[in-house]
Amino acid sequence: MKIQIRHLMLLARILIGGLFIYASAHKILNPADFAVSIRNYMILPLGWTNIVAITLPWIELGAGILLLVGVLTRPSALLITSMLLVFLLAMVNAYWMGLDIECGCFSSPGQSSGKIGPLYFLRDVSLFLTSAFILFFDKGDFSLARR
Amino acid sequence: MRIVAAFDICLKALAIFLFFSALGLMVNHFSPQGIPLIYSPPPQTEINGIKVPLIDEKQASRHLNEPGYAFVDTRHPEHFHEAHVPGAVFLPPEDVQERFVEAQPFLMETDTLILYCYGPDCDMAERVAGFLSQMGYKSFMIMQSGFSAWKSSGLPVESSRR
C-alpha cells in the first residue's frame, strides 16, 4: 500500500489528539497543581491563574478528542496550534528570564516532567508544525464527520 | 471564498473553546478537587525576616508524602502520640532545643517545613518556626487551621511514635 498524505494526516491526528488527551488528564484531576505550574511561569496576573487552570485542560481534552475522531478537525487543529504557540512563547520567556521551573506540560510541579530547556522548544515546535499541517491540509479523510 | 472558510474555522474554534471552558467551569464547581475561580495569594506572616505562607489543611494535604516537604507537629506530647499527620516530626516549643536533636535527622535544611499546632488560636507553630529559622532552615509554611481541621476534614492520621 502506498503511503499517501491522508495516511500521514491520520497519523498526525492520532499523535496530536492522543498527546493532548493524555496531557489534559493529570491537569483535570489536579487543577490546583496545574495552577501552581502556571503561576511558576510568572506571565499571567496571579488572579487569573486559577481560571486558566480550570478551563485550559478541558479545551485540550475537547480539542484532542475532536481531532482524534475527526469531528471539527480544522477548528480543533486551530485551537491546538494556537495553544502550542502560546506554550512555546511561555517556555522561551521562562528560559530567557532564567526561571528554573518544570514545564508542567504533562504533570505537576515537583513531579519529574523535566526543567525547561532547548529540547522542550524543539518538541513544542515539532508538535506545532504537525498541528499546523493538520490545520492547513486536512481533507476530512478517516473522519467521523467531514471537516 | 477562502476568507469565508477561514472565518468559519475561527468561529467553530471559538465555539469549541467556549463549550469546553464552560464544561471545565461546571465540573470545577461540583468537583471536590475544585479551586476558587479567582486566585488570591495565601496570607503570610514574617518570622525572622522569612515570609511564611499561612495555609489551610487542604493546601497542606497536597504536600503529604511529597519529596521536599516535611510536617512538624508542635502540640503537646500526649496529643501528638494520640494522632498526628502521617510522617510528622514531633517538635514542641517547650523543650525545643532538646527535642531538636532527635528531630534534626528527619528535617533537611532544603525542605519546606509545614508546621502546625491545634488551630488558628495557638502560636506554637510560629514559635518553633522562629527557633528553626535560627537553626538555618529557610522555608516554612504554617497550617494555620491546625490539626483539628486536618482531622475533621477526614485527612489521614497516624498514632505511631517518632
Side-chain angles (χ1 to χ4, degrees), chain B residues 119-134:
Chain B
D121 298 327
C122 63
D123 67 347
M124 297 148 94
E126 280 86 346
R127 283 157 61 197
V128 174
F131 168 79
L132 289 171
S133 69
Q134 290 168 352

Side-chain angles (χ1 to χ4, degrees), chain B:
Chain B
M1 201 58 199
R2 277 191 136 185
I3 294 171
V4 174
F7 184 71
D8 183 55
I9 290 171
C10 290
L11 215 58
K12 284 175 178 163
L14 182 66
I16 298 168
F17 178 93
L18 292 175
F19 176 80
F20 284 99
S21 296
L23 189 62
L25 290 170
M26 204 169 69
V27 172
N28 181 70
H29 182 73
F30 291 106
S31 164
Q33 308 290 333
I35 56 175
L37 291 188
I38 306 295
Y39 172 77
S40 51
Q44 58 182 23
T45 185
E46 200 166 308
I47 296 173
N48 291 340
I50 300 171
K51 285 181 176 152
V52 180
L54 303 172
I55 58 174
D56 61 24
E57 71 287 357
K58 200 174 166 190
Q59 292 165 310
S61 69
R62 292 191 197 115
H63 303 297
L64 189 63
N65 301 324
E66 185 178 348
Y69 289 84
F71 280 81
V72 179
D73 191 316
T74 64
R75 297 173 302 149
H76 298 301
E78 62 272 27
H79 298 128
F80 172 79
H81 294 316
E82 195 181 302
H84 53 259
V85 172
V89 174
F90 177 51
L91 194 58
E94 289 78 28
D95 44 0
V96 69
Q97 296 205 352
E98 294 76 27
R99 295 277 189 182
F100 180 63
V101 179
E102 284 174 48
Q104 194 173 18
F106 301 101
L107 303 173
M108 303 297 114
E109 278 194 21
T110 49
D111 281 352
T112 294
L113 307 183
I114 302 177
L115 300 100
Y116 64 88
C117 46
Y118 296 95
D121 298 327
C122 63
D123 67 347
M124 297 148 94
E126 280 86 346
R127 283 157 61 197
V128 174
F131 168 79
L132 289 171
S133 69
Q134 290 168 352
M135 294 292 111
Y137 292 88
K138 292 180 180 64
S139 180
F140 304 98
M141 290 179 178
I142 290 180
M143 184 169 79
Q144 204 182 24
S145 51
F147 186 71
S148 53
W150 178 281
K151 202 173 168 187
S152 58
S153 297
L155 291 162
V157 298
E158 70 175 15
S159 57
S160 59
R161 283 168 181 264
R162 171 157 293 178

Side-chain angles (χ1 to χ4, degrees), chain A residues 123-138:
Chain A
R123 182 181 72 183
D124 203 273
V125 168
S126 315
L127 295 174
F128 172 81
L129 292 175
T130 312
S131 182
F133 167 68
I134 302 170
L135 172 62
F136 290 111
F137 299 106
D138 179 70

